[in-house]
Amino acid sequence: MANEEKSSEVRHRQVATNGITMHVAEQGDLSAPPVLLLHGFPELWLSWRHQMAALAANGYRAIAPDLRGYGDTDVPADPAVYTIFHIVGDLIGLLDQLELPRVFVVGHDWGANVAWQLCLFRPDRVRALVNMGVPYFPRLPSVKPSERFKAFGEGFYITQFQEAGGAENSFAKYDVLTVLKKIFSIKMDNLSAPPGMEIMDFLEAPTSHPEWISENELQYFSEKFQKNGFTGPLNYYRNMDLNWALMAPWQGAKIQVPTKFILGDKDIGCISFGTSMYVKSGGLKSIVPNLEVVIIDGHHFIQQEKAEEVTSEILSYFSSLC
């Protein structure tokens, strides 16, 4: 009975990997099939709290790290060490330290992008993937991401995140709790501010937190970002052009790992980025051939907003492959 109770609790540990120390939360029996859960921006391991409990209850071992620059994981000062090679390298080192040759993977937002690249670089380490929100787009050989994003105007959030210190100064006008409430409450499709305005000023400041997160949970997020700030997470965006250059050897490569892609029909960019059309038209399947697509009623933070539905999709897919 004691072992059963222990396996149902969330356990925390610090793991040395790829030159940093990574905080990892786990739930479930250590001998169960492992599932690696990768959070997005501005999130933490706690974003997967619903899925972790359900995975553990259904015979899996849930492993949810705070990614490089987040939470209780190290936050290197050098912005150049936030490339996709560093972040995927952290995960390979983590799996090696945990002695896990292959895992199921689940990703959301930036975690989804990292998961795509993990599957591209090391498909031998991934049994199957469930990704959310951010599809895998082919690399355009002659257009850097920063150039492509200029089409959305100077108020586009990714463009505003590029300047070192710029977004941090904008965020600093508000307390961290307000910043998180603003981001977690986003319901617009085109995340661009009007000319001359910062995106953080443009976002509405809700008087209460979203229904899908409690005050205590939001406070946990706030405390971690208060401790470390937002520079580490923003460095992911600031390395987009460098990542584009580094990814040249994988030009035209397809992702062969079995994949389910989940998209909220009201997610950011569904219409303005062309995400919905790209996914529905078969564009994604052309470069991720072993693909299933599920579109559900929801916004961006779908694994929290529609936790039960998303969890059911994850469990049904992985169980079909066991």
Side-chain angles (χ1 to χ4, degrees):
M1 179 65 72
N3 287 337
E4 289 180 6
E5 290 177 355
K6 187 174 182 180
S7 68
S8 67
E9 297 172 353
V10 177
R11 307 178 299 276
H12 297 269
R13 68 163 93 179
Q14 298 294 127
V15 177
T17 171
N18 195 29
I20 65 169
T21 300
M22 174 173 275
H23 167 247
V24 182
E26 295 184 76
Q27 196 167 357
D29 193 285
L30 293 176
S31 63
V35 181
L36 180 65
L37 301 129
L38 306 176
H39 67 79
F41 173 89
E43 298 180 271
L44 301 165
W45 73 269
L46 190 64
S47 305
W48 299 110
R49 58 198 178 279
H50 304 294
Q51 288 74 35
M52 291 177 70
L55 286 164
N58 283 273
Y60 294 91
R61 174 186 177 185
I63 304 166
D66 287 335
L67 295 179
R68 174 181 289 241
Y70 284 86
D72 291 323
T73 291
D74 284 351
V75 184
D78 183 359
V81 299
Y82 287 83
T83 72
I84 198 66
F85 286 176
H86 290 90
I87 299 161
V88 172
D90 296 343
L91 300 176
I92 294 298
L94 172 63
L95 298 184
D96 289 347
Q97 287 292 324
L98 299 181
E99 298 183 345
L100 299 172
R102 297 180 76 214
V103 294
F104 292 109
V105 177
V106 181
H108 170 256
D109 185 77
W110 257 106
N113 187 46
V114 172
W116 290 125
Q117 309 306 329
L118 173 61
C119 291
L120 189 64
F121 300 158
R122 295 300 304 271
D124 58 308
R125 305 302 295 267
V126 183
R127 294 181 65 178
L129 170 67
V130 174
N131 248 359
M132 295 169 229
V134 178
Y136 179 59
F137 287 104
R139 179 183 181 275
L140 300 178
S142 59
V143 184
K144 294 179 181 180
S146 62
E147 295 296 321
R148 191 168 76 249
F149 293 137
K150 285 182 180 178
F152 297 102
E154 292 185 2
F156 186 52
Y157 77 106
I158 293 178
T159 299
Q160 291 196 356
F161 286 177
Q162 294 304 305
E163 180 187 354
E168 291 90 331
N169 291 334
S170 175
F171 287 17
K173 298 176 188 177
Y174 307 91
D175 61 82
V176 172
L177 202 60
T178 298
V179 170
L180 294 173
K181 285 181 179 179
K182 279 173 169 267
I183 296 174
F184 288 162
S185 300
I186 290 171
K187 291 186 177 180
M188 66 180 69
D189 180 74
N190 184 355
L191 197 52
S192 293
M197 181 177 285
E198 298 289 336
I199 190 68
M200 190 53 61
D201 295 332
F202 180 59
L203 294 177
E204 294 182 11
T207 56
S208 61
H209 55 80
E211 294 180 357
W212 45 260
I213 190 168
S214 72
E215 194 66 44
N216 286 341
E217 290 162 348
L218 191 59
Q219 190 62 45
Y220 179 89
F221 279 89
S222 179
E223 289 171 1
K224 299 304 179 184
F225 284 100
Q226 183 68 49
K227 179 184 75 169
N228 294 326
F230 290 94
T231 299
L234 288 166
N235 282 335
Y236 286 54
Y237 293 94
R238 292 166 184 162
N239 274 282
M240 282 181 157
D241 282 352
L242 179 55
N243 287 337
W244 173 84
L246 293 172
M247 291 298 296
W250 287 270
Q251 182 72 40
K254 296 182 178 183
I255 290 175
Q256 303 292 347
V257 171
T259 301
K260 175 181 278 190
F261 182 69
I262 301 173
L263 180 65
D265 63 354
K266 301 176 185 66
D267 199 346
I268 300 163
C270 240
I271 304 301
S272 62
F273 297 0
T275 303
S276 180
M277 179 63 68
Y278 172 64
V279 172
K280 290 179 178 178
S281 68
L284 179 59
K285 190 172 179 61
S286 69
I287 53 175
V288 187
N290 197 349
L291 177 72
E292 294 183 21
V293 172
V294 176
I295 299 177
I296 63 179
D297 176 23
H299 298 87
H300 183 64
F301 298 96
I302 195 77
Q303 84 277 33
Q304 299 182 74
E305 179 191 7
K306 294 298 177 73
E308 186 174 343
E309 192 170 350
V310 167
T311 300
S312 177
E313 293 291 346
I314 294 170
L315 289 170
S316 66
Y317 190 61
F318 290 163
S319 66
S320 73
L321 298 170
C322 285

